């Protein structure tokens, strides 16, 4: 009898242990299931009025930035900076050419222009009659070259000086042209010589920032940037679409 009681007690304990483990596993399963499909608390969001206020503030800030920075003026300043740098480099190159005893600077009473004549074949020149350039004083004429020759430094480009004749070679890889370089805009470069002296001009400056440099360059035009060894060579050109009135001594009216 004691043996049977011991065996029954042992079986009962085994069943209790198994049941306990099963219940524990069931609890763990439902616990993990609950955490996996846990319902999240609702997240707060902006209301329509708040979004409209934020958009309005962003718009105001953007407008202020545009007014302060003025992108168009910054672009104009960048172009003016290029003009002054390029005219300075070209001036240094021609000055170096003369310093070595070279003397062929081009034809007198001629305004050489950085705008190409698209009707020309390579190596040809013209008086730029198709470009609509401003009228010159009596005795003066324009000269343009073809698009393919425009930037050459061997005297066939728009500047008739053979910079390649310099002993160390041309100090600039190609002739500069204005960043805009169109007749209609009035932004282009010119070159004038008298046989022994020369003048290079950026016809107009766009930004107020660089106007002080045009006023202090020693030339005779407050709107153009001039360089060379004689800044009185270039003829004053009356702008197109302006009305001449009596008493304008600058343009002889």
């Amino acid at each position: 009898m004691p043996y049977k009681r011991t065996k029954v007690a042992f079986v009962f304990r085994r069943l209790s242990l198994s049941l306990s483990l099963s219940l524990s596993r069931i609890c763990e399963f439902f616990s993990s299931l609950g955490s996996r499909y846990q319902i999240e608390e609702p997240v707060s969001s902006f209301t329509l009025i708040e979004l409209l206020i934020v958009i309005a503030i962003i718009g105001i800030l953007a407008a202020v930035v545009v007014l302060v920075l003025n992108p168009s003026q910054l672009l104009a300043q960048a172009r003016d900076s290029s003009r002054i740098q390029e005219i300075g480099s070209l001036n240094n190159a021609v000055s170096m050419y003369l310093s070595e005893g070279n003397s062929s600077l081009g034809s007198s009473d001629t305004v050489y222009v950085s705008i190409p004549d698209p009707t020309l074949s390579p190596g040809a020149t013209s008086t730029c009659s198709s470009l609509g350039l401003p009228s010159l004083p009596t005795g003066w004429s324009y000269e343009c070259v073809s698009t393919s020759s425009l930037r050459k430094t061997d005297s066939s480009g728009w500047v008739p000086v053979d910079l390649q004749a310099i002993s160390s070679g041309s100090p600039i890889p190609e002739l500069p042209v204005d960043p805009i370089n169109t007749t209609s805009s009035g932004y282009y470069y010119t070159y004038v010589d008298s046989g022994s002296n020369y003048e290079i001009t950026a016809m107009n400056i766009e930004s107020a920032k660089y106007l002080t440099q045009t006023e202090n360059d020693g030339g005779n035009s407050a709107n153009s940037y001039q360089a060379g060894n004689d800044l009185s060579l270039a003829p004053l050109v009356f702008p197109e679409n302006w009305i001449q009135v009596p008493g304008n001594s600058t343009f002889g009216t």
Side-chain angles (χ1 to χ4, degrees):
M1 291 299 293
Y3 174 76
K4 290 184 177 180
R5 289 177 182 174
T6 304
K7 186 176 181 179
V8 170
F10 175 76
V11 171
F12 181 75
R13 284 197 297 271
R14 289 291 301 272
L15 288 174
S16 298
L17 181 61
S18 298
L19 181 61
S20 176
L21 289 173
S22 298
L23 288 174
S24 175
R25 290 175 180 175
I26 291 172
C27 290
E28 289 178 0
F29 170 76
F30 281 107
S31 176
S32 64
L33 187 65
S35 63
R36 182 178 303 176
Y37 297 99
Q38 183 178 4
I39 300 177
E40 297 180 356
E41 296 182 358
V43 179
S44 60
S45 59
F46 289 109
T47 65
L48 178 60
I49 294 177
E50 289 172 333
L51 287 174
L52 291 175
I53 292 174
V54 170
I55 292 172
I57 292 173
I58 292 174
I60 293 172
L61 291 175
V64 170
V65 169
V66 168
L67 290 174
V68 171
L69 296 181
N70 195 350
S72 61
Q73 186 64 204
L74 291 177
L75 291 173
Q77 291 176 6
R79 288 191 292 268
D80 284 342
S81 177
S82 295
R83 291 182 177 105
I84 291 173
Q85 181 179 0
E86 290 175 345
I87 293 297
S89 296
L90 183 55
N91 178 42
N92 290 337
V94 177
S95 178
M96 185 181 299
Y97 170 84
L98 290 176
S99 69
E100 292 193 352
N102 300 299
S103 59
S104 180
L105 293 175
S107 302
S108 301
D109 300 330
T110 301
V111 178
Y112 297 90
V113 184
S114 67
I115 303 174
D117 185 340
T119 66
L120 294 175
S121 57
T125 63
S126 74
T127 57
C128 319
S129 58
S130 64
L131 298 183
L133 292 165
S135 299
L136 292 172
T138 303
W140 285 82
S141 62
Y142 287 110
E143 183 169 310
C144 294
V145 299
S146 64
T147 302
S148 61
S149 301
L150 186 67
R151 308 191 73 164
K152 292 183 177 180
T153 59
D154 60 356
S155 79
S156 65
W158 74 269
V159 176
V161 178
D162 186 7
L163 298 178
Q164 295 183 16
I166 299 173
S167 58
S168 58
S170 176
I172 55 177
E174 59 183 5
L175 296 177
V177 297
D178 188 273
I180 297 178
N181 209 45
T182 60
T183 306
S184 59
S185 66
Y187 297 109
Y188 52 91
Y189 299 156
T190 63
Y191 169 89
V192 174
D193 77 279
S194 64
S196 57
N197 296 321
Y198 68 95
E199 179 182 342
I200 309 166
T201 304
M203 287 303 291
N204 285 292
I205 293 297
E206 296 180 72
S207 64
K209 177 180 179 180
Y210 288 95
L211 278 178
T212 54
Q213 296 198 38
T214 66
E215 295 169 352
N216 299 320
D217 60 9
N220 54 7
S221 174
N223 295 323
S224 302
Y225 183 73
Q226 300 161 273
N229 58 9
D230 188 345
L231 304 188
S232 63
L233 290 177
L236 291 172
V237 178
F238 192 85
E240 291 292 309
N241 301 320
W242 285 29
I243 299 176
Q244 297 191 35
V245 295
N248 189 334
S249 60
T250 302
F251 295 102
T253 61

